[in-house]
Amino acid sequence: MTTEVSPITDLAQRYHYVRATSEKLCEPLEVEDYVVQSMADTSPTKWHLAHVSWFFETLVLKPHLPGYQPIDDRYAFLFNSYYNTLGKQFSRPDRGLITRPTVAEVHDYRRHVDESMEALFERGSSAGIELPEVIIDIGLHHEQQHQELIVTDLKHLLAQNPLKPVYRGDRGDRGDRGDRGGGWIGVAEGVYEIGSHYGDGFVYDNETPRHKSYVYDFELADRLVTNGEFKAFMADGGYERPEFWLSSGWATVQERAWNAPLYWEERDGEWSYFTLSGFRPVDDDEPVCHVSLYEADAYASWAGARLPTEAEWEVVAAQQPIEGNFVESGAFHPMPLTIDGRRSTVDVSPSQFFGDVWEWTSSAYTSYPGYEQPSGALGEYNAKFMSGQNVLRGGSCATPQSHIRASYRNFFYAPDRWQFSGIRLAR
Amino acid sequence: MTTEVSPITDLAQRYHYVRATSEKLCEPLEVEDYVVQSMADTSPTKWHLAHVSWFFETLVLKPHLPGYQPIDDRYAFLFNSYYNTLGKQFSRPDRGLITRPTVAEVHDYRRHVDESMEALFERGSSAGIELPEVIIDIGLHHEQQHQELIVTDLKHLLAQNPLKPVYRGDRGDRGDRGDRGGGWIGVAEGVYEIGSHYGDGFVYDNETPRHKSYVYDFELADRLVTNGEFKAFMADGGYERPEFWLSSGWATVQERAWNAPLYWEERDGEWSYFTLSGFRPVDDDEPVCHVSLYEADAYASWAGARLPTEAEWEVVAAQQPIEGNFVESGAFHPMPLTIDGRRSTVDVSPSQFFGDVWEWTSSAYTSYPGYEQPSGALGEYNAKFMSGQNVLRGGSCATPQSHIRASYRNFFYAPDRWQFSGIRLAR
Amino acid sequence: MTTEVSPITDLAQRYHYVRATSEKLCEPLEVEDYVVQSMADTSPTKWHLAHVSWFFETLVLKPHLPGYQPIDDRYAFLFNSYYNTLGKQFSRPDRGLITRPTVAEVHDYRRHVDESMEALFERGSSAGIELPEVIIDIGLHHEQQHQELIVTDLKHLLAQNPLKPVYRGDRGDRGDRGDRGGGWIGVAEGVYEIGSHYGDGFVYDNETPRHKSYVYDFELADRLVTNGEFKAFMADGGYERPEFWLSSGWATVQERAWNAPLYWEERDGEWSYFTLSGFRPVDDDEPVCHVSLYEADAYASWAGARLPTEAEWEVVAAQQPIEGNFVESGAFHPMPLTIDGRRSTVDVSPSQFFGDVWEWTSSAYTSYPGYEQPSGALGEYNAKFMSGQNVLRGGSCATPQSHIRASYRNFFYAPDRWQFSGIRLAR
Amino acid sequence: MTTEVSPITDLAQRYHYVRATSEKLCEPLEVEDYVVQSMADTSPTKWHLAHVSWFFETLVLKPHLPGYQPIDDRYAFLFNSYYNTLGKQFSRPDRGLITRPTVAEVHDYRRHVDESMEALFERGSSAGIELPEVIIDIGLHHEQQHQELIVTDLKHLLAQNPLKPVYRGDRGDRGDRGDRGGGWIGVAEGVYEIGSHYGDGFVYDNETPRHKSYVYDFELADRLVTNGEFKAFMADGGYERPEFWLSSGWATVQERAWNAPLYWEERDGEWSYFTLSGFRPVDDDEPVCHVSLYEADAYASWAGARLPTEAEWEVVAAQQPIEGNFVESGAFHPMPLTIDGRRSTVDVSPSQFFGDVWEWTSSAYTSYPGYEQPSGALGEYNAKFMSGQNVLRGGSCATPQSHIRASYRNFFYAPDRWQFSGIRLAR
């Protein structure tokens, strides 16, 4: 006998899974760790947990569950991130000042929302009332985005502490590593299609529509740049030689006195870095990580190459399986290529397109031709950020595997480094 | 039969009392409230609790208790406030980024220090070994100072939260209030002595030496300026008329858009304020509080008076009993004069010299003639701050009663408002 | 009899013309006006005059004129703008602190360079020695760019002065204006070529190579957005409604309290603006000017349209004659469409592609596919600025007519407003 | 036969002398030098020249010369410094943006005011109409203060220029210097009078009233601290050892990376400094100059001494002749003690109380007991600055000799260094 899963049940199951995953990520935390905001770009874990619940409350429960009562009306203000359509918001850089509601109260809030969602799903399956499935689906992907932010924001927070707290002990040996030079994947000139249409599985509005793009002959590196390679750039004066750098990148290097990727520290001539599993020596075989667009571009310039455009990246990545080192691996850190299985250094090329690190592209984050901004609050989800940022592709070791796809577009500002962001070369 | 208390036992008892008081102040707190730093001038409660323990560890236990083992060597760096003599310090404005040690671990730290201090007292009483009583005494007064800061810093933190959390419920009715105009206390011209000599009970170095000062005829108001009076200043355009203000005060008013004391908010034409017992309408009979030196000076100027010098204040205050509304009252807020007892509005004048609010003086905080800076770390306790600040006198509703005296000198910068600071006029 | 102009003579004549034009732009100035820098983005006129001379001195005379002696060796440091390849540079935001060399000495410097260039041209024509024509040509276009900056930077400077100094009296009547609704120019989907090859007349490296781009069906407005239209946006709450704005644009509006284009002031409900011909009421028929990318994008959003990409713009503009209101008109301000001749409102559509105002595009300023960065100092001319800026097209009323072309790419940051920048819609 | 000078004629003569002196100070300047403001604390020379004229126009001519017509009504706004009583003011840090009125127009303004003042004096002498002598006198002393600022602000401006322009050639040899150890002047404990009464010659309101002060036994150094002595402090790690510094001083040293007095530069282990006569090696025998209060205090602490209070300073200085190195010497720089005449190193002690450098005192700038703030605009002259600054005494090499007296109180903020400020020790 086969068990057939109805769509609603499937949605409910995914809801449970995603919600539980957020909480599982918090298991290693002390109450104190949930509260603090280490810089304006990050948010407290507590805020993330509440905000994703606010999203379901505001966009699903209030409009679609008759009789829904919020646990506290003031949360609508406290936990709205940036949706002007949905009312005023508490000042973003001050999210860390809000010690109440407590962590326990935020968990109460989550439970309240979960129980109400349960009631909603129940209405869907028993009463056959149509559910707002699209928006629930967006809410789940939204929560997955915040799961990644919980990891990256926590890393930034813990790294400020001279005690260097460990989020989670290391997973031990990471496999045999072959010797591998790295090759190039060639693509021929022509008109290619990238992006997605609504309906090709879940996609965000900023991935649409699928459209043609003229691409010239290019080659893409078949693996990521490693720490060892990046050290060679550093040893060659990479951070002291303006000729490799974008003008605003060079100004940033001077102003912030950068001389290595974020979280790296030199002691007695040896580089170590802070990881979520502790402070330890840099592993030369891992993909380099926590670099800004500026550093990625300067490295490429030094290496006689360049960064790919997002179209180039997607043309190649669309041919790759969505496998790699995601948040599910529990490593919370990029991993070196190894001989065993998919991460083999010999058999499998190209590699590392998904997971490990977000890959900087040279493409500015703008709308695709024919893009139509959704109406209402969801129109604020992506469109209003289409200015001054660059696209990153492929997900990282902090991304849930089910969250990523070839057409997925992430975006950050050129100097940002606290995400797990790295480099793949093109030429 | 009489029980005679030996000096060592007395010191030990005071140690227990003061240490327990710090912890009692924290009883209403959630773990989350201990962690956050709401501005660079304040510190997290957790940090205060640890720092005062570090003081005993560093200046008493390490040099005086043979075999003392710190619970964590790194605390020496984390919890040193500003003593260059005692090593480097963690960045002050980043104290709120340190989620570990946790609150529980800080309590462990306190216990560890307390047990070691116990051992030290034991050596003193049983083995007759001489104790460093002076420095222990300073440590206790130091902890009392931080008790006041715990209260003021918490108030600042909780006030940032739109939920307006209550630290502690209100104590209810605060007595009948007489109608009282306010009078003046006159003092005749001449040479007066102010300050203290070491040995006149506990005093800080900055109160020494007792010395002569030439004082001209003056009058001091016999009570503090009230909220009602300050509202009259506001209603008369006090915050819009530059003629009342010091030049840097006027610039500050413009820059920070001040239009009322800190924590005041206008809603529908009525003023309310955030207090540690909740958000409530301004009580006109209470002393005005949370004003900067600039506002105090502008008010005085508007009222055709001036602020007293610290010599003038002390000449009068030295004649008054040390009674008033201190932290022990549990009000955590200044109180109106009432008919009953000492706070009567009819019988007892002068009043309110001690407790309620720190009183701004026009005197810059500098050394007294003949002052000698202590050697070593204690030389950093007060002397290095003798620049750019003004003296405040008399203690506040957040000050422990046993901590204050007529010669006590507190000091803050002219724009500072988060202390319980108020106004007494002179002319 | 025909006079044949040899290439060298032609280059020398263009040299004389361009150099004289710079000086002619300065004729209305007082010495005081040459010296001051009104913000970090602008430079003093004196600095512009010297810097363009430094360019010829450094890249032409020193390497190519045997025996060339600089008038002052220290100018190499003072007047290098940003060429790291050519040595250190004086701090950019401090250019206005340099009162010496004086204006007269800068003119001496120019004369010294001109006489030396004369000697170089002489060597070319009489001795037949090959000249570095390419770099001289770049030097001339470079000086034309700074001519535009002289105009825009002076406007910014004079606008700071409450006396509202007039650079140059108004040119009087600007013709009859027809009533004109504005239409759209349609373009069909397909692969189009944009950009230029070296050798197609003078082009900058950032315009190369000519390349294919896939363009979807679109329409481009046949004229610029006018002040009258922009006022309608303002009247409809344009600056108060976040739904029209990019997120960083909305933050900028709040931070800088923008409520109109730069240089606009409201008095008694009427808008006037500062122009180089004086302070006067806003002319509703002129193209709106001095708007940021943020304002251009918000306007387009309000109008139910969008900004064009640079490919879209160029596909249409390449079909238009290079005519319009350039710096040679002496208006120093955008002009309304008029009935007479080219600027007719009836007969001629499309219009205003060149001159009047730089037109914001939605395209980020990045390299074209196949772009090769020049080696040496010229590699710093454009490539290192390819980050975080948007492309503007078509030149303005401050651009020399011979400087502009359809493939020309200008670039500024999204919040920049001091250039003559305006809006053409697409959809 | 004796010539009797009537008071009015005397005032007119002093007016001519003071006004001419301002212009004489500007003789070495290029037009460009008049315009620029090198930091918010300084003003352009052009502004100083206009502002002092505005003072006469506003406080003397408008109220006292019937029919007086301003040359430009808008100057009332442009050249008001900080008198709220007299209307709004142009933004202080933007004074350098005002290229018009030109230098020539400012001279026209001065002439216009001078001619009108001439008419006023004429009315006084011929028509016998009473003149506002007190306010004219204040205007003259006010202009002398700005003469000093012209010198110090110009020095700051020219020092920013890597060309190191010379204001005025050096005056050559500065005499034989004896070897001199430096002694102490002792004063006995008691009540002393300091300050001045109105009517004791010209005095500012902040010097009044003359009043009693209780002073303890002290000694004052009989000469200023020299560059050679200050170098010994530096060589002993003065700028690296926090134990000598006030807390805010030490923070300032770190923030601004101070390692020597302002204008000092080290090249190959030798210190030189920028002076108004050029860049040259530091002269060890000169008084150290351009030090902040922080550096003065740290030096004193290192030397086992302290800074004097203003009362101590005045008690001694009141006994000294008002002789020294003033602006009239044309040195524009402090001078070493020499054997010849008054500046002898052997015969004459105490020395250097007046001229050379302003001497930092430990006294905060506040009102004297019994001080009464003048009414109207003159009430803003001094009183509103009585917060956060320290008193300096004795005048400098940029002060006109007739401007200084023993009771004169100058005041600057602790970190200020661009005045000619130095150190005299007390103990």
Side-chain angles (χ1 to χ4, degrees), chain D residues 50-70:
Chain D
H51 165 67
V52 293
S53 305
W54 165 90
F55 191 97
F56 286 112
E57 178 176 71
T58 307
L59 293 169
V60 178
L61 295 172
K62 285 183 178 175
H64 298 288
L65 183 64
Y68 175 76
Q69 291 295 333

PDB file of all heavy atoms in Angstrom, chain D residues 50-70:
ATOM      1  N   ALA D  50      36.062  91.411   7.718  1.00  0.00           N
ATOM      2  CA  ALA D  50      34.679  91.883   7.574  1.00  0.00           C
ATOM      3  C   ALA D  50      33.950  91.861   8.911  1.00  0.00           C
ATOM      4  O   ALA D  50      33.234  92.802   9.255  1.00  0.00           O
ATOM      5  CB  ALA D  50      33.948  91.026   6.548  1.00  0.00           C
ATOM      6  N   HIS D  51      34.165  90.809   9.666  1.00  0.00           N
ATOM      7  CA  HIS D  51      33.436  90.653  10.925  1.00  0.00           C
ATOM      8  C   HIS D  51      33.727  91.800  11.901  1.00  0.00           C
ATOM      9  O   HIS D  51      32.815  92.325  12.554  1.00  0.00           O
ATOM     10  CB  HIS D  51      33.794  89.313  11.562  1.00  0.00           C
ATOM     11  CG  HIS D  51      33.405  89.195  13.000  1.00  0.00           C
ATOM     12  ND1 HIS D  51      32.088  89.156  13.418  1.00  0.00           N
ATOM     13  CD2 HIS D  51      34.158  89.130  14.128  1.00  0.00           C
ATOM     14  CE1 HIS D  51      32.057  89.063  14.744  1.00  0.00           C
ATOM     15  NE2 HIS D  51      33.293  89.046  15.194  1.00  0.00           N
ATOM     16  N   VAL D  52      34.974  92.187  12.025  1.00  0.00           N
ATOM     17  CA  VAL D  52      35.296  93.271  12.960  1.00  0.00           C
ATOM     18  C   VAL D  52      34.669  94.584  12.502  1.00  0.00           C
ATOM     19  O   VAL D  52      34.334  95.446  13.323  1.00  0.00           O
ATOM     20  CB  VAL D  52      36.822  93.424  13.171  1.00  0.00           C
ATOM     21  CG1 VAL D  52      37.370  92.189  13.894  1.00  0.00           C
ATOM     22  CG2 VAL D  52      37.563  93.631  11.858  1.00  0.00           C
ATOM     23  N   SER D  53      34.491  94.739  11.199  1.00  0.00           N
ATOM     24  CA  SER D  53      33.816  95.929  10.666  1.00  0.00           C
ATOM     25  C   SER D  53      32.324  95.856  10.938  1.00  0.00           C
ATOM     26  O   SER D  53      31.683  96.852  11.282  1.00  0.00           O
ATOM     27  CB  SER D  53      34.073  96.023   9.158  1.00  0.00           C
ATOM     28  OG  SER D  53      35.463  96.010   8.914  1.00  0.00           O
ATOM     29  N   TRP D  54      31.784  94.647  10.774  1.00  0.00           N
ATOM     30  CA  TRP D  54      30.379  94.412  11.112  1.00  0.00           C
ATOM     31  C   TRP D  54      30.096  94.791  12.557  1.00  0.00           C
ATOM     32  O   TRP D  54      29.042  95.332  12.887  1.00  0.00           O
ATOM     33  CB  TRP D  54      30.050  92.932  10.875  1.00  0.00           C
ATOM     34  CG  TRP D  54      28.771  92.476  11.498  1.00  0.00           C
ATOM     35  CD1 TRP D  54      27.537  92.496  10.929  1.00  0.00           C
ATOM     36  CD2 TRP D  54      28.605  91.943  12.811  1.00  0.00           C
ATOM     37  NE1 TRP D  54      26.611  92.012  11.813  1.00  0.00           N
ATOM     38  CE2 TRP D  54      27.234  91.662  12.987  1.00  0.00           C
ATOM     39  CE3 TRP D  54      29.475  91.675  13.874  1.00  0.00           C
ATOM     40  CZ2 TRP D  54      26.722  91.118  14.157  1.00  0.00           C
ATOM     41  CZ3 TRP D  54      28.977  91.142  15.036  1.00  0.00           C
ATOM     42  CH2 TRP D  54      27.602  90.862  15.181  1.00  0.00           C
ATOM     43  N   PHE D  55      31.063  94.502  13.437  1.00  0.00           N
ATOM     44  CA  PHE D  55      30.894  94.815  14.853  1.00  0.00           C
ATOM     45  C   PHE D  55      30.687  96.325  15.037  1.00  0.00           C
ATOM     46  O   PHE D  55      29.754  96.763  15.724  1.00  0.00           O
ATOM     47  CB  PHE D  55      32.132  94.325  15.616  1.00  0.00           C
ATOM     48  CG  PHE D  55      31.986  94.353  17.113  1.00  0.00           C
ATOM     49  CD1 PHE D  55      31.621  93.205  17.812  1.00  0.00           C
ATOM     50  CD2 PHE D  55      32.230  95.511  17.846  1.00  0.00           C
ATOM     51  CE1 PHE D  55      31.503  93.214  19.195  1.00  0.00           C
ATOM     52  CE2 PHE D  55      32.109  95.523  19.227  1.00  0.00           C
ATOM     53  CZ  PHE D  55      31.746  94.377  19.909  1.00  0.00           C
ATOM     54  N   PHE D  56      31.540  97.131  14.415  1.00  0.00           N
ATOM     55  CA  PHE D  56      31.375  98.586  14.515  1.00  0.00           C
ATOM     56  C   PHE D  56      30.077  99.034  13.845  1.00  0.00           C
ATOM     57  O   PHE D  56      29.366  99.894  14.343  1.00  0.00           O
ATOM     58  CB  PHE D  56      32.570  99.319  13.868  1.00  0.00           C
ATOM     59  CG  PHE D  56      33.819  99.270  14.696  1.00  0.00           C
ATOM     60  CD1 PHE D  56      34.933  98.550  14.278  1.00  0.00           C
ATOM     61  CD2 PHE D  56      33.897  99.958  15.906  1.00  0.00           C
ATOM     62  CE1 PHE D  56      36.085  98.503  15.049  1.00  0.00           C
ATOM     63  CE2 PHE D  56      35.050  99.906  16.680  1.00  0.00           C
ATOM     64  CZ  PHE D  56      36.153  99.178  16.253  1.00  0.00           C
ATOM     65  N   GLU D  57      29.799  98.449  12.696  1.00  0.00           N
ATOM     66  CA  GLU D  57      28.585  98.836  11.980  1.00  0.00           C
ATOM     67  C   GLU D  57      27.334  98.578  12.825  1.00  0.00           C
ATOM     68  O   GLU D  57      26.439  99.427  12.929  1.00  0.00           O
ATOM     69  CB  GLU D  57      28.501  98.041  10.678  1.00  0.00           C
ATOM     70  CG  GLU D  57      27.256  98.317   9.870  1.00  0.00           C
ATOM     71  CD  GLU D  57      27.270  97.566   8.545  1.00  0.00           C
ATOM     72  OE1 GLU D  57      27.112  96.323   8.570  1.00  0.00           O
ATOM     73  OE2 GLU D  57      27.451  98.201   7.491  1.00  0.00           O
ATOM     74  N   THR D  58      27.319  97.404  13.436  1.00  0.00           N
ATOM     75  CA  THR D  58      26.102  96.956  14.099  1.00  0.00           C
ATOM     76  C   THR D  58      25.914  97.602  15.468  1.00  0.00           C
ATOM     77  O   THR D  58      24.810  97.991  15.839  1.00  0.00           O
ATOM     78  CB  THR D  58      26.143  95.424  14.253  1.00  0.00           C
ATOM     79  OG1 THR D  58      26.408  94.860  12.974  1.00  0.00           O
ATOM     80  CG2 THR D  58      24.850  94.890  14.826  1.00  0.00           C
ATOM     81  N   LEU D  59      27.009  97.701  16.209  1.00  0.00           N
ATOM     82  CA  LEU D  59      26.883  98.151  17.598  1.00  0.00           C
ATOM     83  C   LEU D  59      27.173  99.637  17.772  1.00  0.00           C
ATOM     84  O   LEU D  59      26.827 100.224  18.785  1.00  0.00           O
ATOM     85  CB  LEU D  59      27.795  97.310  18.500  1.00  0.00           C
ATOM     86  CG  LEU D  59      27.348  95.839  18.595  1.00  0.00           C
ATOM     87  CD1 LEU D  59      28.408  94.990  19.271  1.00  0.00           C
ATOM     88  CD2 LEU D  59      26.031  95.744  19.365  1.00  0.00           C
ATOM     89  N   VAL D  60      27.839 100.244  16.786  1.00  0.00           N
ATOM     90  CA  VAL D  60      28.147 101.677  16.905  1.00  0.00           C
ATOM     91  C   VAL D  60      27.384 102.492  15.859  1.00  0.00           C
ATOM     92  O   VAL D  60      26.613 103.379  16.191  1.00  0.00           O
ATOM     93  CB  VAL D  60      29.668 101.920  16.769  1.00  0.00           C
ATOM     94  CG1 VAL D  60      29.969 103.424  16.846  1.00  0.00           C
ATOM     95  CG2 VAL D  60      30.429 101.143  17.835  1.00  0.00           C
ATOM     96  N   LEU D  61      27.581 102.171  14.581  1.00  0.00           N
ATOM     97  CA  LEU D  61      27.061 103.062  13.534  1.00  0.00           C
ATOM     98  C   LEU D  61      25.541 103.025  13.433  1.00  0.00           C
ATOM     99  O   LEU D  61      24.893 104.074  13.383  1.00  0.00           O
ATOM    100  CB  LEU D  61      27.706 102.709  12.188  1.00  0.00           C
ATOM    101  CG  LEU D  61      29.221 102.968  12.155  1.00  0.00           C
ATOM    102  CD1 LEU D  61      29.834 102.419  10.874  1.00  0.00           C
ATOM    103  CD2 LEU D  61      29.504 104.470  12.288  1.00  0.00           C
ATOM    104  N   LYS D  62      24.983 101.833  13.368  1.00  0.00           N
ATOM    105  CA  LYS D  62      23.527 101.764  13.220  1.00  0.00           C
ATOM    106  C   LYS D  62      22.795 102.482  14.359  1.00  0.00           C
ATOM    107  O   LYS D  62      21.910 103.301  14.110  1.00  0.00           O
ATOM    108  CB  LYS D  62      23.063 100.320  13.076  1.00  0.00           C
ATOM    109  CG  LYS D  62      23.367  99.732  11.692  1.00  0.00           C
ATOM    110  CD  LYS D  62      22.822  98.320  11.540  1.00  0.00           C
ATOM    111  CE  LYS D  62      23.098  97.771  10.133  1.00  0.00           C
ATOM    112  NZ  LYS D  62      22.691  96.349  10.001  1.00  0.00           N
ATOM    113  N   PRO D  63      23.174 102.215  15.600  1.00  0.00           N
ATOM    114  CA  PRO D  63      22.422 102.913  16.657  1.00  0.00           C
ATOM    115  C   PRO D  63      22.855 104.353  16.884  1.00  0.00           C
ATOM    116  O   PRO D  63      22.080 105.133  17.432  1.00  0.00           O
ATOM    117  CB  PRO D  63      22.708 102.068  17.911  1.00  0.00           C
ATOM    118  CG  PRO D  63      23.933 101.282  17.618  1.00  0.00           C
ATOM    119  CD  PRO D  63      24.032 101.131  16.143  1.00  0.00           C
ATOM    120  N   HIS D  64      24.052 104.743  16.476  1.00  0.00           N
ATOM    121  CA  HIS D  64      24.555 106.047  16.928  1.00  0.00           C
ATOM    122  C   HIS D  64      24.869 107.046  15.825  1.00  0.00           C
ATOM    123  O   HIS D  64      25.140 108.206  16.112  1.00  0.00           O
ATOM    124  CB  HIS D  64      25.807 105.838  17.796  1.00  0.00           C
ATOM    125  CG  HIS D  64      25.545 105.047  19.033  1.00  0.00           C
ATOM    126  ND1 HIS D  64      24.841 105.571  20.099  1.00  0.00           N
ATOM    127  CD2 HIS D  64      25.837 103.775  19.376  1.00  0.00           C
ATOM    128  CE1 HIS D  64      24.735 104.648  21.060  1.00  0.00           C
ATOM    129  NE2 HIS D  64      25.325 103.536  20.646  1.00  0.00           N
ATOM    130  N   LEU D  65      24.904 106.634  14.578  1.00  0.00           N
ATOM    131  CA  LEU D  65      25.154 107.596  13.504  1.00  0.00           C
ATOM    132  C   LEU D  65      23.879 107.783  12.687  1.00  0.00           C
ATOM    133  O   LEU D  65      23.521 106.926  11.875  1.00  0.00           O
ATOM    134  CB  LEU D  65      26.301 107.112  12.594  1.00  0.00           C
ATOM    135  CG  LEU D  65      26.676 108.099  11.470  1.00  0.00           C
ATOM    136  CD1 LEU D  65      27.211 109.411  12.047  1.00  0.00           C
ATOM    137  CD2 LEU D  65      27.701 107.467  10.517  1.00  0.00           C
ATOM    138  N   PRO D  66      23.207 108.902  12.884  1.00  0.00           N
ATOM    139  CA  PRO D  66      21.949 109.124  12.168  1.00  0.00           C
ATOM    140  C   PRO D  66      22.170 109.038  10.663  1.00  0.00           C
ATOM    141  O   PRO D  66      23.146 109.565  10.141  1.00  0.00           O
ATOM    142  CB  PRO D  66      21.551 110.537  12.588  1.00  0.00           C
ATOM    143  CG  PRO D  66      22.283 110.781  13.868  1.00  0.00           C
ATOM    144  CD  PRO D  66      23.547 109.999  13.780  1.00  0.00           C
ATOM    145  N   GLY D  67      21.299 108.331  10.007  1.00  0.00           N
ATOM    146  CA  GLY D  67      21.357 108.248   8.548  1.00  0.00           C
ATOM    147  C   GLY D  67      22.357 107.244   8.018  1.00  0.00           C
ATOM    148  O   GLY D  67      22.582 107.166   6.807  1.00  0.00           O
ATOM    149  N   TYR D  68      22.959 106.453   8.887  1.00  0.00           N
ATOM    150  CA  TYR D  68      23.943 105.477   8.399  1.00  0.00           C
ATOM    151  C   TYR D  68      23.287 104.467   7.468  1.00  0.00           C
ATOM    152  O   TYR D  68      22.225 103.908   7.790  1.00  0.00           O
ATOM    153  CB  TYR D  68      24.605 104.740   9.567  1.00  0.00           C
ATOM    154  CG  TYR D  68      25.523 103.638   9.058  1.00  0.00           C
ATOM    155  CD1 TYR D  68      26.779 103.945   8.524  1.00  0.00           C
ATOM    156  CD2 TYR D  68      25.119 102.301   9.066  1.00  0.00           C
ATOM    157  CE1 TYR D  68      27.601 102.956   8.018  1.00  0.00           C
ATOM    158  CE2 TYR D  68      25.948 101.298   8.564  1.00  0.00           C
ATOM    159  CZ  TYR D  68      27.188 101.642   8.035  1.00  0.00           C
ATOM    160  OH  TYR D  68      27.999 100.663   7.541  1.00  0.00           O
ATOM    161  N   GLN D  69      23.897 104.247   6.318  1.00  0.00           N
ATOM    162  CA  GLN D  69      23.404 103.275   5.343  1.00  0.00           C
ATOM    163  C   GLN D  69      24.411 102.147   5.171  1.00  0.00           C
ATOM    164  O   GLN D  69      25.547 102.393   4.761  1.00  0.00           O
ATOM    165  CB  GLN D  69      23.200 103.938   3.971  1.00  0.00           C
ATOM    166  CG  GLN D  69      22.063 104.923   3.929  1.00  0.00           C
ATOM    167  CD  GLN D  69      20.701 104.258   4.146  1.00  0.00           C
ATOM    168  OE1 GLN D  69      20.529 103.074   3.837  1.00  0.00           O
ATOM    169  NE2 GLN D  69      19.754 104.990   4.707  1.00  0.00           N
ATOM    170  N   PRO D  70      24.029 100.928   5.427  1.00  0.00           N
ATOM    171  CA  PRO D  70      24.961  99.799   5.207  1.00  0.00           C
ATOM    172  C   PRO D  70      25.301  99.676   3.730  1.00  0.00           C
ATOM    173  O   PRO D  70      24.485  99.987   2.868  1.00  0.00           O
ATOM    174  CB  PRO D  70      24.166  98.564   5.650  1.00  0.00           C
ATOM    175  CG  PRO D  70      23.016  99.078   6.426  1.00  0.00           C
ATOM    176  CD  PRO D  70      22.741 100.469   5.960  1.00  0.00           C
TER     177      PRO D  70
END
